[in-house]
Amino acid sequence: MTFRTRFAPSPTGPLHLGHAYSAILGHDMARAADGAFLLRMEDTDLQRCKPEWDAQIVSDLEWLGLTWDEPVLRQSAQLEGYMPAIDALIAADLVYPCSCSRSDILAAQSAPQEGVTSPVYPGTCKHRSMSSRQPGDALRLHLDRALAQFQGNLPSFVETGTAHHGKHVITPDEAIHKIDDIVLFRKSDGIVAYFLASALDDVSQDITHVVRGEDLFEFTPIQVLLLALLGHASPIYHHHKLIRDDAGKRLAKRDDARAISKYRGDGLSPHDIREMLELAG
């Protein structure tokens, strides 16, 4: 099996040290394995993703000395390509239409739930069939029916990162608390959920290893379950440590002080960046 991985940023802001760590690590792992390193722009959020950020990310990666082995894939250029997967889930009766807004979901909750960082869907529209679908409705995964497809033998995935190393079998409890009846498609803007689009692109690009930050580990069961429902094997995952600021907080795109473009402007070299990230070879 030829090692193939990708760096898949969303062009909604500058490339910072955390991004650089993930990109360099994935690139170095691919080169060490005599494999392939790809660049993908996950730009399905058409409002927040900007061409200028796309261009800056490409420029910063090239400055860091990274190369990719195929043309850059931009999700915004192939949105229709995700629809067969949505249609397959509809045909399998695994989705239902939903007209609820985020405020509707919050209002339906009697109390916040410990450990939940986003609103849990209360099932308001779960009784609806696809024949009741209206313009503007989102499509949600019917988790109960999805889990029933596996008859108790839920899919698993392999993780090679230090924090979660080993084989992970998705459990029903994990599915309920981490996956829920997630939105897969928003009819109002024609956008497929990024975690579904990303998983589908991993399949279409023959990605064997997904190298990304450990903050995305929680999304892995979602992607593995969706891929299994669509008849695809999941790649091997490697979730690496996060680069944090002096207060121990994970870097975000708002951290312009850590932007690679700023370090470039200050006269640092790519080797300096590697040393800062403890990736100098």
Side-chain angles (χ1 to χ4, degrees), residues 29 158-166 168 210 212 214 217 236-241:
M29 289 173 68
V158 174
E159 166 67 35
T160 62
T162 303
H164 308 282
H165 192 275
H168 295 259
V210 172
R212 60 190 183 188
E214 64 183 6
F217 181 79
I236 295 169
Y237 294 88
H238 182 97
H239 292 86
H240 57 71
K241 70 176 184 178

Side-chain angles (χ1 to χ4, degrees), residues 63 70 79 85 132 135 148 152 164 170 181 189 191 213 221 238 242 254:
W63 176 80
E70 295 177 9
L79 294 178
S132 71
H164 308 282
I170 300 174
D181 284 10
D189 51 17
I191 299 301
H238 182 97
L242 300 178
R254 62 181 174 273

